[in-house]
Amino acid sequence: MQGPAVFIDAEIDDQAQELRQFLKQLGAEISEEKSTKGIEDDLHKIIGVCDVCFKDNTHSPEEIDAVLNSIVSIIVSIPLERGENLILSFCDKMTKAKEPNLARVCLQSLWRLFSNLEVTSPLRYHVYYHLVQVAKQVNQVKEVFTGVEQLKAQFAQCPPSNEQMQKLYRLLHEVLKDTNSELASKVMIELLGTYTAENASYAREDAMKCIVTALADPNTFLLDPLLSLKPVRFLEGELIHDLLSVFVSEKLPSYLEFYKHHKEFVNSQGLNHEQNIKKMRLLSFMQLAESNAEMSFQQLQDELQIKEEEVEPFIIEVLKTKLVRARMDQRARKVHISSTMHRTFGRPQWQQLRDLLLSWKSNLTLVQENINSVAAAQMELSQRQ
């Protein structure tokens, strides 16, 4: 999201008096006269009543934007050490607009403020936090947040505290979970990564949300890394950790058995049983593909508990995910596997990768030796001629 720089062609004191007069006309409880205590007191009183702009429809969004832009231009002129309360108060007011068009104006004003604060200012965090809140109201979160790396880059020169980032990650997860579950999962994993061994036990609720979000996300299949997160480790022995373990390394029958005994728990987490079955079938197929270069349709029917007419559509769905590269032989009623993503990647998979690379190295060495032999033979032949 791009915001223009703030340039107002008027003295700050004159701006403040014009704002007082305008807000007074709208019915705000504010004097038209400038404060004898200076511009900061003027601004404090102006911000305190500026939400009166949101309470009627007599002014267009463009007019209100001009008013808010004037306020922002004064805010950024206040020294950092004296501007914190003013900025926090202004940000809070920007969350009060309920009408979508006005909320968009507030979003633009907050972004303008964020863009015009020094990149070394710790107050940018507070503005950004409210930016996300307002962006949620108008379904424009993607305009202010595109990923964790982008977020870190924005605060690179003045990183927020660990507690502040945890609060921001929780907010981002909340606003993303219903519209972008994949990104919400990444945010939650990042949140859990902020905990240490000493305080991981306090992250129980965050860890549970992380697991549920990952399980519910139809595009997240590599779940093994969650088990290594310290807060998730503290859940060992609890049902949510047992369910995660099923999705990490077990097949469909194990999930069905778990659901049979813990149906209420699964439903209480907001997880959809049918979607879980669909995901477990995909994960089970991936696991079968790791050790079977060829599988019959009948084997898939038995392993995945699907009907004969469902096999081909299922294989097509698997191929769409690009988790598995395979070729379907309809005449022979078989599927031939070229490659698959591993559900877990531990020591055995690293060993397998090492063996494969050593094999390639050996083959390349042999090819090089053969090429050298051919080149030497041709050179010898040309010398004889």
Side-chain angles (χ1 to χ4, degrees), residues 52-72:
V52 72
C53 297
F54 311 147
K55 295 179 181 178
D56 61 41
N57 297 316
T58 57
H59 295 277
S60 68
E62 290 75 18
E63 290 176 302
I64 295 173
D65 181 58
V67 171
L68 298 180
N69 187 36
S70 184
I71 294 175
V72 169

Side-chain angles (χ1 to χ4, degrees), residues 10 56 106 337 375:
D56 61 41
C106 292
I337 309 298

Side-chain angles (χ1 to χ4, degrees), residues 77-320:
S77 70
I78 303 296
L80 175 64
E81 63 273 12
R82 302 201 301 271
E84 181 173 358
N85 290 335
L86 294 171
I87 287 177
L88 291 176
S89 178
F90 180 75
C91 290
D92 181 64
K93 291 293 184 181
M94 293 302 97
T95 64
K96 305 301 183 184
K98 303 304 178 185
E99 202 275 321
N101 287 335
L102 294 181
R104 292 188 186 93
V105 171
C106 292
L107 180 67
Q108 184 66 34
S109 296
L110 283 172
W111 189 261
R112 191 178 290 125
L113 175 58
F114 180 79
S115 301
N116 284 276
L117 287 173
E118 293 290 337
V119 293
T120 55
S121 171
L123 298 179
R124 294 175 81 242
Y125 165 82
H126 302 291
V127 179
Y128 188 83
Y129 187 89
H130 288 82
L131 255 175
V132 175
Q133 289 181 313
V134 178
K136 169 62 175 177
Q137 295 179 29
V138 292
N139 297 316
Q140 291 190 16
V141 176
K142 63 182 179 181
E143 297 295 326
V144 300
F145 177 76
T146 57
V148 172
E149 293 307 315
Q150 166 257 347
L151 179 65
K152 291 180 178 179
Q154 286 189 142
F155 294 109
Q157 295 193 48
C158 186
S161 68
N162 204 46
E163 292 74 17
Q164 286 178 322
M165 288 307 297
Q166 288 173 354
K167 181 181 178 182
L168 179 56
Y169 285 143
R170 290 192 192 99
L171 174 63
L172 286 167
H173 176 264
E174 184 65 27
V175 303
L176 289 167
K177 65 179 183 180
D178 295 328
T179 57
N180 192 333
S181 57
E182 183 177 5
L183 192 52
S185 295
K186 292 179 179 178
V187 168
M188 185 54 73
I189 290 173
E190 195 70 26
L191 168 59
L192 295 189
T194 64
Y195 289 95
T196 64
E198 288 72 27
N199 62 13
S201 59
Y202 297 104
R204 184 177 185 280
E205 185 177 346
D206 289 333
M208 291 187 69
K209 284 183 180 179
C210 180
I211 293 172
V212 170
T213 302
L215 297 184
D217 181 15
N219 300 311
T220 298
F221 299 97
L222 188 60
L223 300 162
D224 185 45
L226 293 181
L227 293 175
S228 63
L229 294 172
K230 294 180 179 67
V232 173
R233 291 180 189 172
F234 274 88
L235 296 176
E236 287 184 19
E238 297 191 30
L239 287 177
I240 190 66
H241 193 278
D242 294 342
L243 181 58
L244 173 61
S245 298
V246 169
F247 275 80
V248 167
S249 58
E250 301 295 335
K251 295 180 183 177
L252 179 62
S254 296
Y255 168 73
L256 294 175
E257 185 67 17
F258 182 94
Y259 185 76
K260 178 181 176 181
H261 293 95
H262 307 292
K263 180 178 179 179
E264 291 185 5
F265 172 77
V266 173
N267 294 336
S268 70
Q269 298 304 308
L271 294 168
N272 184 290
H273 178 54
E274 294 303 319
Q275 290 299 317
N276 289 346
I277 290 177
K278 181 179 180 180
K279 190 167 189 173
M280 280 304 303
R281 283 189 174 128
L282 283 167
L283 293 170
S284 299
F285 183 89
M286 290 166 57
Q287 191 162 335
L288 290 168
E290 289 181 26
S291 54
N292 295 276
E294 178 183 287
M295 287 182 281
S296 68
F297 284 13
Q298 185 60 54
Q299 181 182 359
L300 294 179
Q301 285 179 239
D302 297 338
E303 293 278 359
L304 306 178
Q305 301 183 27
I306 55 179
K307 299 176 182 178
E308 181 179 358
E309 62 270 18
E310 295 175 328
V311 174
E312 290 187 20
F314 172 78
I315 295 173
I316 292 172
E317 285 300 312
V318 172
L319 297 180
K320 285 181 180 179

